[in-house]
Amino acid sequence: MSFTLEAPLAYKILDSYFENVSYVKGAEASEADKSVFAALSEGPSAEAYPHLARWYAHIAAVQGLITKDAAAAPAAAPAAAAEEEDDDLDLFGSDDEEVDEEAEKLKAQRVAEYNAKKAGKPKPTAKTTVTLEVKPWDDETDMEELTKAVKSIEMDGLLWGGSQLVAIGYGIKKLQINCVVEDDKVLLDDLSDKILEFEDFVQSVDVAAMQKI
């Protein structure tokens, strides 16, 4: 029993078959290839049936029967493949450039927002903890009054802290007092001058220690 397939359907079946094999059977051209080749009424289109066209051109070359269609087939197949590769290959990388451009715009926007936020944020006030040593004239100086006089000094950015009397010999004690000053508002030289204005009590003023906070 024999039957005949219509050419388009037959070509489609053969094209699918030759996608993974080089010959009808075996590892080289055989009579089976010649028989199938002879049964095809015309050379298959490389565009429509690339795998079948490749096989057809090869068998035609083996038999020395290179027809016009067969000769064009091997050239057409690579051309079609090259065209497909060209479609996939973006020589200019336009998509990547667009993505990079958008990323750069977003980055610039984020930086601008950060800088604006930072500029509007008040800077922390620089402060210093200072320990002053105030020496009296002699052992008859009223140290309680001296301490009150020193603590009576008021300046913007000045905050007095704890104090103590420290013996320095011969019955004389000095006042050791802590304070916190804002660096932009209070100069230690100015503060020392104000303390020295209590000349009835104060002989000298020294900075014993200071630390930024």
Side-chain angles (χ1 to χ4, degrees):
M1 178 179 180
S2 63
F3 60 91
T4 302
L5 294 176
E6 294 183 0
L9 179 58
Y11 280 22
K12 184 175 182 179
I13 294 173
L14 289 172
D15 183 69
S16 177
Y17 177 78
F18 286 117
E19 181 177 1
N20 299 310
V21 300
S22 299
Y23 303 101
V24 173
K25 62 180 180 179
E28 58 183 20
S30 64
E31 291 298 325
D33 291 281
K34 294 180 181 180
S35 298
V36 174
F37 181 88
L40 299 179
S41 59
E42 59 182 7
S45 167
E47 182 176 355
Y49 313 104
H51 308 297
L52 177 59
R54 169 186 53 77
W55 169 85
Y56 187 89
H58 177 63
I59 299 304
V62 169
Q63 297 185 95
L65 299 174
I66 299 179
T67 63
K68 180 178 180 180
D69 290 340
E83 183 177 353
E84 291 179 359
E85 291 178 358
D86 288 342
D87 290 339
D88 295 335
L89 180 62
D90 186 359
L91 297 177
F92 297 98
S94 57
D95 290 342
D96 292 340
E97 287 180 1
E98 290 178 2
V99 172
D100 291 343
E101 184 178 352
E102 290 299 322
E104 288 300 322
K105 287 181 179 179
L106 180 59
K107 180 180 178 181
Q109 181 181 349
R110 294 279 175 83
V111 171
E113 290 175 353
Y114 172 79
N115 290 336
K117 183 177 180 181
K118 186 176 180 181
K121 185 178 181 180
K123 295 181 180 180
T125 303
K127 297 180 180 181
T128 303
T129 299
V130 183
T131 300
L132 298 173
E133 290 184 344
V134 183
K135 294 179 181 178
W137 286 107
D138 51 40
D139 60 343
E140 295 182 359
T141 301
D142 188 338
M143 296 303 295
E144 184 177 345
E145 289 298 321
L146 185 151
T147 302
K148 287 181 180 180
V150 171
K151 287 188 173 183
S152 70
I153 297 173
E154 295 181 355
M155 299 175 66
D156 185 21
L158 170 64
L159 178 65
W160 291 110
S163 64
Q164 63 180 344
L165 298 178
V166 180
I168 57 178
Y170 303 100
I172 301 174
K173 296 181 179 181
K174 64 182 178 181
L175 172 65
Q176 194 173 75
I177 186 168
N178 298 321
C179 64
V180 176
V181 299
E182 294 184 18
D183 297 348
D184 293 340
K185 296 180 178 180
V186 178
L187 297 178
L188 292 181
D189 288 343
D190 292 343
L191 178 57
S192 296
D193 290 342
K194 284 184 174 293
I195 295 174
L196 288 171
E197 288 178 3
F198 300 107
E199 54 188 19
D200 292 339
F201 303 108
V202 179
Q203 179 192 51
S204 64
V205 179
D206 297 308
V207 176
M210 58 190 301
Q211 181 178 1
K212 297 289 185 181
I213 58 176

